[in-house]
Amino acid sequence: MPCVAVAYSGGRDSTALLHAVACAAREANREMLVSPPAHAGGEPLGVGAMCVVALHVHHGLSPNADAWLAHAQATCDAWAAKGLPVRLMARHVRLSADAGQGVEAEARALRHQALHEMAVEAGADMLLLAHHRRDQAETLLLQALRGGGLAGLAAMPKDDLRDGLRWVRPWLDHPREAIEAYIAAHGLRHIDDESNGDPRFARNRLRLAVWPALQAAFPQAEVALAASAARLADALVPLRSWQSQALTVLQAPDDAAAMNVRLWASWSPAERRESLRHWFASVSCQALSANWTLRLADELPRMLAHAPKPEDACGVWPALGLSLYRGRLRWAPADADHGEGGGGTAMQPVRIDAPGDWPLPAWGGMLRVTPCTHGGVAPERLLGMTVASRTGGERFQAGPGRPQRTLKKQFQMLGVPAWERDAPLFWAGDQLLFVPGLGLDARCWAAPGMPQCAMSWHWLDAEPAAALKCEV
């Protein structure tokens, strides 16, 4: 039996869409009954009749969530009793306890996953959603305010194929007022989600505080913004074609997670940024932030240019799981979660109990420890060290009596190149101990005459002239 799925929250828009689709299915089924197959031995009457399945996701975020589910079930039962070919499927989802300010995004991801699973279970190959023209205009504005790229500014696609299921928004070109008129004409009951008035959520702030003023100043704002989103969606098609071609050219033939960075560096800055974003997303299934995109698109070509030979350039960016070696930029999954600028990287214990070279492959380099007579660190402080990425805000003291400054300031004062600042930081408890490029923090210097060691950082697999050597 052909089946079409409709995302049904019980709100005004989804109630109107579900009712309209169910009525259309009933009329189609009636026509099928009065016009049976003409060929001999055709299908029995009723076989192939269309059904509509309403998909309801219970987030449990509202104290009224159970009542909404009961309303959805009662509505579908009442419509079915009147001859509409509709039934309800519901799925409970649970948000993580630490969703915090990301509750909107997590709820949306869980909802989409539940909708997809239910649609497949119901045997539907198409899922209808009730987004309308104002939803589209709001989405474009929100994406612009977040600094979104072309894909974000194109807003919601009207027809999108995801993992074998078509996600279709048939009312994306229609105004909200048309839906309200449909609800009134058919006397349909719907629920009102109280969270729609909560200003903690960005879309609500836009709807409540910004949209009324925008529409008053620009009455055609909704139409114009939705039209812009449609044109951007058109531009997205050739962009994705170019991205696929660029990926084929750049990807290393023997390593799908590596990119030919020497070829990539010869492209224009805009092409570098766009292809880098697409390549990183394809290998990591993560989005590369705008800050990282700009930084890498600038740093990597300079690293190649400043090395004795382009293939000698090397570097590591643990926060992203990226490393540069012999002209290839490679991504590898990390054991720990990494955040922007290294934030969120778990500290790794490092026990140094003797002078020598101590490789740290996860960080792309090694720590060299050598005996010295002054300006070093007491050996016992190396026994309980930890190493971690730079997170921002760390303060470093370059010498006794000198002021403590942020690492950013210290790097700038000493002219440390940006690409060399991705080496890990070494800590002794809560005290920053050693920073490649800057040396040993003066607060950790051993007393004169006491046994002590110097520390230096070296990138692995680098020629001596191309290595970053940071002696204390």
Side-chain angles (χ1 to χ4, degrees):
M1 176 183 294
C3 179
V4 61
V6 178
Y8 176 50
S9 67
R12 178 197 61 233
D13 302 338
S14 64
T15 296
L17 179 61
L18 179 62
H19 185 265
V21 173
C23 289
R26 180 179 59 185
E27 294 306 312
N29 292 342
R30 286 175 175 171
E31 291 181 5
M32 186 178 299
L33 288 173
V34 300
S35 303
H39 63 280
E43 295 179 341
L45 293 181
V47 175
M50 181 179 295
C51 73
V52 180
V53 58
L55 307 182
H56 182 87
V57 180
H58 185 303
H59 293 97
L61 292 173
S62 168
N64 299 313
D66 290 339
W68 296 343
L69 176 55
H71 167 85
Q73 186 65 67
T75 298
C76 290
D77 291 345
W79 290 354
K82 295 179 180 179
L84 294 181
V86 62
R87 62 186 178 91
L88 181 75
M89 289 183 67
R91 181 71 53 88
H92 286 68
V93 298
R94 183 183 298 274
L95 274 69
S96 61
D98 59 351
Q101 296 300 315
V103 62
E104 280 184 289
E106 183 172 348
R108 181 168 57 252
L110 289 174
R111 181 169 62 253
H112 287 180
Q113 179 182 349
L115 289 172
H116 188 280
E117 292 173 353
M118 287 190 289
V120 172
E121 182 180 336
D125 58 6
M126 182 168 61
L127 172 65
L128 302 181
L129 302 103
H131 297 111
H132 49 75
R133 191 172 65 194
R134 185 171 304 178
D135 292 327
Q136 185 76 323
E138 291 172 352
T139 300
L140 184 149
L141 279 177
L142 287 171
Q143 288 293 335
L145 292 170
R146 293 166 181 159
L150 181 57
L153 295 175
M156 296 178 288
K158 183 178 293 187
D159 193 334
D160 190 25
L161 183 64
R162 305 185 206 170
D163 297 325
L165 178 68
R166 286 178 61 200
W167 294 60
V168 180
R169 298 173 172 87
W171 288 354
L172 206 54
D173 295 329
H174 295 275
R176 170 181 173 174
E177 291 77 13
I179 298 174
E180 293 173 339
Y182 184 93
I183 288 285
H186 292 275
L188 302 179
R189 294 178 57 249
H190 61 87
I191 63 172
D192 290 311
D193 186 346
E194 75 281 353
S195 69
N196 289 336
D198 191 338
R200 289 179 302 171
F201 302 128
R203 190 176 289 269
N204 289 346
R205 293 196 299 274
L206 179 65
R207 286 176 176 172
L208 300 173
V210 177
W211 190 260
L214 178 64
Q215 196 165 35
F218 302 95
Q220 294 300 310
E222 178 180 313
V223 175
L225 291 170
S228 292
R231 288 195 292 273
L232 291 167
D234 286 343
L236 193 58
V237 175
L239 172 63
R240 284 177 171 162
S241 177
W242 178 87
Q243 288 173 332
S244 297
Q245 294 172 8
L247 187 62
T248 301
V249 172
L250 293 174
Q251 217 159 26
D254 57 341
D255 187 352
M259 181 178 79
N260 183 340
V261 76
R262 295 179 63 186
L263 173 61
W264 170 84
S266 68
W267 293 4
S268 71
E271 291 173 324
R272 290 202 300 265
R273 291 190 294 270
E274 196 57 51
S275 58
L276 180 62
R277 276 190 287 261
H278 183 64
W279 171 80
F280 186 81
S282 70
V283 296
S284 70
C285 297
Q286 304 171 36
L288 189 63
S289 72
N291 287 339
W292 270 117
T293 301
L294 291 171
R295 175 177 169 178
L296 291 174
D298 176 62
E299 286 182 7
L300 288 168
R302 288 195 290 108
M303 291 171 66
L304 297 179
H306 292 162
K309 294 183 293 184
E311 58 267 25
D312 290 340
C314 62
V316 62
W317 296 265
L320 301 174
L322 292 178
S323 59
L324 173 64
Y325 178 58
R326 292 186 177 176
R328 289 185 176 186
L329 185 67
R330 189 177 189 282
W331 177 83
D335 294 333
D337 291 331
H338 299 303
E340 178 76 14
T345 304
M347 282 195 168
Q348 173 188 344
V350 178
R351 179 181 174 85
I352 306 294
D353 56 10
D357 292 339
W358 295 83
L360 296 172
W363 304 90
M366 70 177 183
L367 180 68
R368 178 167 294 166
V369 178
T370 56
C372 66
T373 58
H374 66 278
V377 60
E380 58 267 25
R381 301 199 73 168
L382 304 181
L383 297 175
M385 281 196 307
T386 52
V387 59
S389 291
R390 176 182 169 198
T391 60
E394 298 92 347
R395 303 185 73 82
F396 181 88
Q397 185 173 338
R402 299 178 65 177
Q404 300 177 30
R405 301 182 187 274
T406 63
L407 294 187
K408 180 178 179 180
K409 289 284 189 183
Q410 298 282 14
F411 283 138
Q412 290 174 341
M413 291 173 61
L414 294 181
V416 177
W419 70 269
E420 295 181 356
R421 304 176 189 180
D422 280 306
L425 307 182
F426 293 81
W427 298 77
D430 294 331
Q431 172 62 57
L432 184 59
L433 179 67
F434 172 67
V435 179
L438 299 180
L440 188 69
D441 191 294
R443 292 168 290 182
C444 299
W445 288 8
M450 298 296 294
Q452 50 194 282
C453 296
M455 303 167 66
S456 61
W457 175 257
H458 303 261
W459 295 111
L460 291 174
D461 301 317
E463 295 292 336
L468 169 61
K469 188 175 182 181
C470 311
E471 301 286 355
V472 299

